[in-house]
Amino acid sequence: MMTTTPPTPSVQLLEVSPEYAGQRIDNFLLARLKGVPKTLIYRILRKGEVRVNKGRIKPEYKLQAGDIVRVPPVRVPERDEPVPVAQGLLQRLEAAIVYEDKALIVLNKPAGIAVHGGSGLNFGVIEAFRQMRPDAKELELVHRLDRDTSGLLMIAKKRSMLRHLHAALRGDGVDKRYMALVRGNWAASIKQVRAPLMKSNLRSGERMVEVNEEGKESVTVFKVLRRFGDFATMIEAKPITGRTHQIRVHTLHAGHCIAGDTKYGDEGFSKEIRDLGGKRLFLHAYMLTVPLPEGGELKLQAPVDEMWAKTVERLLSAE
C-alpha cells in the first residue's frame, strides 16, 4: 500500500509502492483522488502543481516505485462519504452482473448508462459499484464502453487483476466481439476495415473521431450475422485495436452506419428503426474471452435487451 496524508484540502505527499510502478501519473491521480473532476486533475498537472520527487512532470509520466508525489490542496471526499447513486440503478446494475469472483466483476451494462462520472454526470457504473462493494478498495474499470453501447464490461477488484488484463488487452489475449445493426446490405466481401483514426473536438466541445491518414492505425474484423433484405444487416465486429468510437467510424467508412448513432449515423435510417421500437444505439458487446492469471480462459456471452430483441423480431416480420 501507499502512505497518504488525510484527504483534506491541504498538500498531500503520496509514496508510490512497487505495485503501481509503470502507471501514468494522470491515471494514478484519477484513481487516488475520488470525486475530484478530471478537468481539475489535468489542470494541476498542466500548471506544474503536481510534483514528483520535487520536479515537474507531464501527464504521461510513468511512475516508479518509491516516487514521492506532491499533490496540491484539492477537495477529496471522505472515504465513507457515499456516492449519490439511486437505489433503483444500484439494483439494476447488481442484476446485470454476469460473472464475479474475488478479483473481477463482469456485467452486461445497459445502454444509456455511462461507465464513469464526468461531462455533467455525477456518477457512472464505477461510482455505483464502489458504493455497492465498499470493501473492495481497489475497484477500477478495466476498459470502457460508450454510454449508449450495451454489453460486457470488466471491473477489476484487485490491482493485480487490473494489470494482468491491461497486459492482455495490449497484446492479443482478449477477444471482444460486438453485434451491430447497420444500414443497407453489408457486402460479404467486407471482412476487414483498416483505416487510421484521429480524435478531434468540435467548437461545442463534443468529441468526434474521423478517418485520417495522420491518425492511429485501427483495424476491425467484420462478419455478417443476418440480413434484412437490402434495408439492414446484423454484423459482428471484432476490434483488433481499441480506439475511441472505432466500430462506429469503421462501419461508416465501409458505407454502413449503425442504427441509432446520433454522432455518425443516418437520421432517416435511425428513425425507421425507432418506428419499429428501437430507441437506442444498436451496438452491443455480446462476447468476451479473457485469459485468467492462474491459467485457462473466461468465456462470457451477454444477451441483448428486450428493446433490441423486439426490434429484430419486427424487422423479420416486415421482410
Side-chain angles (χ1 to χ4, degrees), residues 185-227:
N185 191 342
W186 184 283
S189 59
I190 306 176
K191 293 181 168 57
Q192 177 178 287
V193 171
R194 183 183 292 270
L197 299 178
M198 178 177 281
K199 296 179 190 174
S200 62
N201 289 318
L202 301 180
R203 195 174 300 172
S204 63
E206 183 181 10
R207 174 180 283 182
M208 298 290 286
V209 176
E210 62 181 6
V211 173
N212 188 310
E213 289 304 317
E214 297 180 5
K216 294 182 178 179
E217 181 187 20
S218 307
V219 183
T220 311
V221 175
F222 292 101
K223 181 172 72 174
V224 172
L225 298 176
R226 171 168 253 160
R227 300 184 192 278

Side-chain angles (χ1 to χ4, degrees), residues 133-169:
R133 300 288 187 275
D135 294 334
K137 305 298 185 187
E138 298 181 309
L139 277 181
E140 297 290 349
L141 290 165
V142 174
H143 59 115
R144 287 166 170 73
L145 291 177
D146 292 339
R147 180 177 180 175
D148 295 325
T149 302
S150 58
L152 293 165
L153 178 70
M154 295 184 284
I155 300 174
K157 297 165 79 173
K158 293 187 176 182
R159 178 76 188 161
S160 56
M161 177 60 83
L162 183 67
R163 295 179 71 163
H164 167 77
L165 291 174
H166 277 175
L169 284 163

Side-chain angles (χ1 to χ4, degrees), residues 71-284:
V71 183
V74 289
R75 169 74 175 97
V76 184
E78 298 293 340
R79 182 171 289 277
D80 58 355
E81 190 173 315
V83 180
V85 181
Q87 197 63 34
L89 177 57
L90 295 180
Q91 292 172 355
R92 191 176 174 200
L93 290 174
E94 188 77 50
I97 295 172
V98 295
Y99 177 84
E100 183 172 7
D101 62 20
K102 62 184 180 182
L104 180 66
I105 298 171
V106 185
L107 70 147
N108 183 4
K109 185 189 82 68
I113 299 176
V115 296
H116 57 74
S119 301
L121 298 169
N122 292 326
F123 58 83
V125 170
I126 189 63
E127 289 83 6
F129 271 91
R130 284 177 182 144
Q131 184 169 318
M132 292 156 61
R133 300 288 187 275
D135 294 334
K137 305 298 185 187
E138 298 181 309
L139 277 181
E140 297 290 349
L141 290 165
V142 174
H143 59 115
R144 287 166 170 73
L145 291 177
D146 292 339
R147 180 177 180 175
D148 295 325
T149 302
S150 58
L152 293 165
L153 178 70
M154 295 184 284
I155 300 174
K157 297 165 79 173
K158 293 187 176 182
R159 178 76 188 161
S160 56
M161 177 60 83
L162 183 67
R163 295 179 71 163
H164 167 77
L165 291 174
H166 277 175
L169 284 163
R170 283 193 297 270
D172 57 1
V174 176
D175 186 345
K176 289 190 291 183
R177 305 201 182 202
Y178 295 72
M179 281 193 292
L181 180 66
V182 299
R183 180 187 62 191
N185 191 342
W186 184 283
S189 59
I190 306 176
K191 293 181 168 57
Q192 177 178 287
V193 171
R194 183 183 292 270
L197 299 178
M198 178 177 281
K199 296 179 190 174
S200 62
N201 289 318
L202 301 180
R203 195 174 300 172
S204 63
E206 183 181 10
R207 174 180 283 182
M208 298 290 286
V209 176
E210 62 181 6
V211 173
N212 188 310
E213 289 304 317
E214 297 180 5
K216 294 182 178 179
E217 181 187 20
S218 307
V219 183
T220 311
V221 175
F222 292 101
K223 181 172 72 174
V224 172
L225 298 176
R226 171 168 253 160
R227 300 184 192 278
F228 303 95
D230 290 328
F231 175 64
T233 310
M234 190 71 73
I235 58 170
E236 177 188 273
K238 177 184 177 182
I240 306 303
T241 51
R243 312 299 180 205
T244 301
H245 300 169
Q246 177 173 316
I247 296 172
R248 296 161 68 180
V249 179
H250 273 180
T251 54
L252 175 64
H253 185 65
H256 302 271
C257 57
I258 298 176
D261 192 338
T262 56
K263 277 182 183 280
Y264 308 103
D266 174 78
E267 177 55 30
F269 174 60
S270 292
K271 183 181 184 303
E272 290 187 78
I273 297 298
R274 280 200 305 274
D275 290 344
L276 294 172
K279 300 174 182 178
R280 57 157 295 171
L281 172 68
F282 278 77
L283 182 60
H284 176 70

